Amino acid sequence: MDQELKVHSDVICTFCGCLCDDIEVEVVDNRISKVKKACMIGRNKLMHAQSNNPDITIAGKPTSLDAAINEAVNILTNARFPLVYGLSSTTTEAQREMVEIAEILNATIDNPSSYCHGPGLMARQQVGLSSCTLGEVKNRADLVIFWGCNPLESHVRHLTRYSVSAKGMFHPEGRKSRKIVSIDIRPTPTTKSSDWFIQVTPGNTFEIATLLRALVANNPIGKGDDALIAGVAVSKWRELAEMIRGCKYGVIFFGLGVTQCRGRDINVEQLAVLVSEINNHTRFYAMAMRGHGNVAGGNQVMTWQTGFPLAVNFSRGYPRYNPGEFSVIGLLARKEVDAALIVATDPGAHLPADTGDHLKNIPVIYLEPHNNPTTEWATVVIPVAQAGVAASGTYYRMDNVPLRVKKIVDSDHLSDEEVLKRIKERITHAQNY
Amino acid sequence: MAGISGLLVTVRTGKQGAEMMRGKMNPEYLDEISTLRINPDDMAEAQMLPGQKVKVSSSFGEVTVTCIASDVPRKLFFLPVGPVANRLVSGSDTDGTGVPAWKGEQVTIEPADQVQ
Ligand code: SF4
């Protein structure tokens, strides 16, 4: 019998915040057989999307979906301080369900941005951020600065699709008409492909942004040109300030090298103020290099539902926001949480060991398409249809543009959204909400 | 005793990302997240050879990894993000921000006792 071949075009890769939406996927008899145009990470993600799926289990023993959901509801409704955590690699529709479950349970809800780009979100609440879309960057940017990020290894197609060699409306020549600058503490593939690599000492982002503010504004700085700031001579920083003032449309893409190093949120605050002040001279923007495919969506959903992008606690019946106190890492390190519902993230791999280890001592309900370090010990494991492969929904790109991810194969499992809806309905019933 | 102290910085690598997608239990992924990039002069000072197993210790834990020479600055050691690096940082050390010291944990590196 002939095998049925379907070719899906314009598929979105859901791995990273680039959300490349030009991927071609061939499916033979409901199995993904070929992936074209994606980078190696995206290709591997799609090619392995249908393998290594966990069983539905309670305490490691196979069970039915119904029994697993009942156990999940039992655990969550009996907890005194439950945590709802994850969100970053699923659809906004599923994220919305998670927020509602957190509210019904008077739980705390957080997403991985609280330890990645969360400091940048806190900075935005203080000073705002002049930002743009990746489409604008592609069409207009003649100066691109990568600061504390290495997209050639983390967001591989960012450079070809949006920021460096992409041919845009005002840059039909692509790479030739753009200047690329990298600021980093070590040489990387990205710094090596830049026109200018400024190698700085670690932990000095705030000082650099402060100096650039002064230089861009032509303010005196009380230091000679030979003085070193972050290991680089002031004369070099002056050159960069002039390049910034002289560009027609510039953008800084900043990564975890900015948000996770010494200073954290105040680094981004100073960078955001720098960018807004540059706009006194020319058009200039900044954008966070968001990691997980829909981590930006997690912040969007939490903000429109609770008013805050991360670290929200409902224990008083209304949302309270306090990064540090209600951030997942702090809560787990202090062992405050007594049960957790975790969806679309892998705390067994991502969190510091002493923090993740607390989850091994409390009941954890885990929705996840693949076996990973967390499925090894989670109390209730519910496999789900992977978003963007076997479930459709909305994802937010790193520039906060929402895109619809497709369902290209059928799965035996429900989507995160469907499982969460069932959990929510039974919690509501159990609590007579 | 041979050894060297400095700051551990966790980073993404292309191989770490690509292999992770094939499964976090696969040996290529586990090898990559256990490979430490270190400056050759630091390696010489600590009497370590490329490809040698080394012990990395912080106040929070220790791991054994393979070191390779790289063009990174002196006294900065780079390990891919993942469960291995996560044994060296702590969730209780975030300066109230919720973000651990993934970009600057003080560590000591010394040749592992047994070269495997
Ligand atoms: S750059 Fe990111 S979104 Fe694009 S194909 Fe690679 S992993 Fe997927």
Coordinates of all heavy atoms in Angstrom, one line a residue, chain A residues 12-23 35 37-43 45-46 151 154-162 291 293, chain B residues 12 21, ligand 1:
Chain A
I12 N 6.0 26.6 12.0 CA 6.8 27.3 13.0 C 7.6 26.4 13.9 O 7.0 25.5 14.4 CB 5.8 28.2 13.8 CG1 5.1 29.3 13.0 CG2 6.6 28.8 15.0 CD1 4.2 30.1 13.7
C13 N 8.9 26.7 14.0 CA 9.7 25.9 14.9 C 9.5 26.6 16.3 O 9.6 27.8 16.4 CB 11.1 26.0 14.5 SG 12.2 25.4 15.8
T14 N 9.1 25.8 17.3 CA 8.7 26.4 18.6 C 9.9 26.4 19.6 O 9.7 26.6 20.8 CB 7.6 25.6 19.2 OG1 7.9 24.3 19.3 CG2 6.3 25.8 18.3
F15 N 11.1 26.1 19.1 CA 12.2 25.9 20.2 C 12.6 27.3 20.8 O 12.5 27.4 22.0 CB 13.4 25.2 19.6 CG 14.5 25.2 20.6 CD1 14.5 24.2 21.6 CD2 15.6 26.0 20.6 CE1 15.5 24.2 22.6 CE2 16.6 26.0 21.5 CZ 16.5 25.1 22.5
C16 N 13.0 28.2 20.0 CA 13.5 29.4 20.6 C 12.6 30.6 20.2 O 11.7 30.5 19.4 CB 15.0 29.7 20.2 SG 15.3 30.4 18.6
G17 N 13.0 31.8 20.8 CA 12.2 33.0 20.6 C 12.2 33.5 19.2 O 11.4 34.5 18.9
C18 N 13.0 33.0 18.3 CA 12.9 33.4 16.9 C 11.7 32.9 16.2 O 11.2 33.6 15.2 CB 14.1 32.8 16.1 SG 15.7 33.5 16.5
L19 N 11.1 31.8 16.7 CA 9.9 31.2 16.1 C 9.9 31.3 14.5 O 9.0 31.8 13.9 CB 8.6 31.9 16.6 CG 8.2 31.7 18.0 CD1 6.9 32.4 18.3 CD2 8.2 30.3 18.4
C20 N 11.0 30.7 14.0 CA 11.1 30.7 12.5 C 9.8 30.1 11.9 O 9.4 29.0 12.3 CB 12.3 29.9 12.1 SG 13.8 30.6 12.7
D21 N 9.2 30.8 11.0 CA 7.9 30.4 10.5 C 7.9 30.0 9.0 O 6.9 30.1 8.3 CB 6.8 31.5 10.7 CG 7.2 32.8 10.0 OD1 8.2 32.8 9.4 OD2 6.4 33.7 10.2
D22 N 9.1 29.5 8.6 CA 9.3 29.1 7.2 C 9.7 27.7 7.0 O 10.2 27.3 6.0 CB 10.3 30.0 6.5 CG 11.7 29.9 7.2 OD1 11.7 29.4 8.3 OD2 12.7 30.4 6.6
I23 N 9.5 26.9 8.1 CA 10.0 25.5 8.1 C 9.1 24.6 7.2 O 7.9 24.7 7.2 CB 10.1 24.9 9.5 CG1 10.7 25.9 10.5 CG2 10.8 23.6 9.5 CD1 12.1 26.3 10.2
V35 N 12.7 17.4 7.7 CA 12.6 18.8 8.1 C 13.5 19.7 7.3 O 14.7 19.4 7.2 CB 12.9 19.0 9.6 CG1 12.8 20.4 10.0 CG2 11.9 18.1 10.4
K37 N 15.0 23.6 6.2 CA 15.2 25.1 6.5 C 15.5 25.3 8.0 O 16.0 26.4 8.3 CB 14.0 25.9 6.1 CG 13.8 26.0 4.6 CD 12.8 27.1 4.2 CE 12.5 27.0 2.8 NZ 11.3 27.8 2.5
A38 N 15.1 24.5 8.9 CA 15.4 24.7 10.3 C 16.9 24.6 10.6 O 17.6 24.0 9.9 CB 14.6 23.7 11.2
C39 N 17.3 25.2 11.7 CA 18.7 25.0 12.2 C 18.8 23.6 12.8 O 17.8 22.9 12.9 CB 19.1 26.1 13.2 SG 18.3 25.9 14.8
M40 N 20.0 23.2 13.2 CA 20.2 21.9 13.7 C 19.3 21.6 15.0 O 18.7 20.6 15.1 CB 21.6 21.7 14.1 CG 22.0 20.2 14.4 SD 21.6 19.1 13.1 CE 23.1 19.0 12.3
I41 N 19.2 22.7 15.8 CA 18.4 22.5 17.0 C 16.9 22.3 16.6 O 16.2 21.4 17.1 CB 18.5 23.7 18.0 CG1 19.9 24.0 18.3 CG2 17.6 23.5 19.2 CD1 20.1 25.3 19.1
G42 N 16.4 23.2 15.7 CA 15.0 23.1 15.3 C 14.7 21.8 14.6 O 13.7 21.1 14.8
R43 N 15.7 21.4 13.8 CA 15.5 20.1 13.0 C 15.4 18.9 14.0 O 14.5 18.1 13.9 CB 16.7 19.9 12.1 CG 16.4 19.0 10.9 CD 17.7 18.7 10.2 NE 18.5 17.7 10.9 CZ 18.3 16.4 10.7 NH1 17.5 16.0 9.8 NH2 19.0 15.5 11.4
K45 N 14.6 19.0 17.1 CA 13.3 19.1 17.9 C 12.2 18.5 17.1 O 11.4 17.7 17.7 CB 13.0 20.6 18.2 CG 11.8 20.8 19.0 CD 11.6 22.2 19.5 CE 10.2 22.3 20.3 NZ 10.3 22.1 21.7
L46 N 12.1 18.9 15.8 CA 10.9 18.3 15.1 C 11.1 16.8 14.8 O 10.2 16.1 14.9 CB 10.8 19.1 13.8 CG 10.1 20.5 14.0 CD1 10.4 21.5 12.9 CD2 8.6 20.4 14.2
P151 N 23.9 34.5 19.6 CA 22.8 33.9 18.8 C 23.3 32.8 17.9 O 22.5 31.9 17.6 CB 22.1 35.1 18.1 CG 23.1 36.2 18.2 CD 23.9 36.0 19.4
S154 N 22.7 30.0 20.1 CA 21.5 29.9 20.9 C 20.2 30.2 20.0 O 19.2 29.6 20.2 CB 21.5 30.8 22.1 OG 21.7 32.1 21.7
H155 N 20.3 31.1 19.1 CA 19.2 31.5 18.3 C 19.7 31.5 16.8 O 19.8 32.6 16.2 CB 18.6 32.9 18.6 CG 18.2 33.1 20.0 ND1 19.0 33.1 21.1 CD2 16.9 33.1 20.5 CE1 18.3 33.3 22.2 NE2 17.0 33.3 21.9
V156 N 20.0 30.3 16.3 CA 20.9 30.2 15.2 C 20.5 31.0 13.9 O 21.3 31.6 13.2 CB 21.1 28.7 14.9 CG1 22.1 28.5 13.7 CG2 21.6 27.9 16.1
R157 N 19.2 31.0 13.7 CA 18.8 31.6 12.4 C 18.4 33.1 12.6 O 18.0 33.8 11.6 CB 17.6 30.9 11.8 CG 18.0 29.4 11.4 CD 16.8 28.7 10.8 NE 16.5 29.1 9.4 CZ 15.3 29.3 8.9 NH1 14.3 29.0 9.7 NH2 15.1 29.6 7.7
H158 N 18.6 33.6 13.8 CA 18.3 35.0 14.1 C 19.0 35.9 13.1 O 18.5 36.9 12.5 CB 18.7 35.4 15.5 CG 18.3 36.7 16.0 ND1 18.9 37.9 15.7 CD2 17.2 37.0 16.8 CE1 18.3 38.9 16.3 NE2 17.2 38.4 17.0
L159 N 20.3 35.6 12.8 CA 21.1 36.5 12.0 C 20.7 36.5 10.5 O 20.7 37.5 9.9 CB 22.6 36.1 12.1 CG 23.2 36.3 13.5 CD1 23.0 35.2 14.5 CD2 24.7 36.6 13.4
T160 N 20.3 35.3 10.0 CA 20.0 35.2 8.6 C 18.5 35.6 8.4 O 18.2 36.2 7.3 CB 20.1 33.8 8.1 OG1 19.5 32.9 9.0 CG2 21.6 33.4 7.9
R161 N 17.7 35.4 9.3 CA 16.3 35.8 9.1 C 15.9 37.2 9.5 O 15.0 37.8 8.9 CB 15.3 34.9 9.9 CG 15.0 33.6 9.2 CD 14.2 32.6 10.0 NE 12.9 33.2 10.4 CZ 11.8 33.3 9.7 NH1 11.8 32.9 8.5 NH2 10.7 33.8 10.2
Y162 N 16.6 37.8 10.5 CA 16.2 39.1 11.0 C 17.2 40.1 11.1 O 17.0 41.3 10.8 CB 15.6 38.9 12.4 CG 14.5 37.9 12.5 CD1 14.7 36.8 13.4 CD2 13.3 37.9 11.8 CE1 13.7 35.8 13.6 CE2 12.4 37.0 12.0 CZ 12.6 35.9 12.8 OH 11.6 34.9 13.0
G291 N 14.6 33.1 25.2 CA 15.0 31.8 25.0 C 13.9 30.8 24.5 O 13.8 30.6 23.3
G293 N 10.6 29.0 23.3 CA 9.7 29.5 22.2 C 8.6 30.4 22.7 O 8.3 31.4 22.0
Chain B
R12 N 25.3 28.8 26.6 CA 24.7 27.9 25.6 C 25.8 27.5 24.6 O 26.7 28.4 24.3 CB 23.6 28.6 24.9 CG 22.4 28.9 25.7 CD 21.5 27.7 25.9 NE 21.2 27.0 24.6 CZ 20.3 27.3 23.8 NH1 19.5 28.3 24.0 NH2 20.1 26.7 22.6
M21 N 17.9 18.3 22.1 CA 16.7 18.0 21.4 C 16.6 16.5 21.0 O 15.5 16.0 20.7 CB 16.6 18.9 20.2 CG 16.2 20.3 20.5 SD 14.6 20.4 21.3 CE 15.0 20.9 22.9
Ligands
SF4_1 S1 16.5 29.6 15.2 FE1 15.2 28.9 16.8 S2 13.1 28.9 16.0 FE2 14.6 29.1 14.2 S3 14.8 26.9 13.6 FE3 16.5 27.4 15.0 S4 15.7 26.7 17.0 FE4 13.9 26.9 15.6

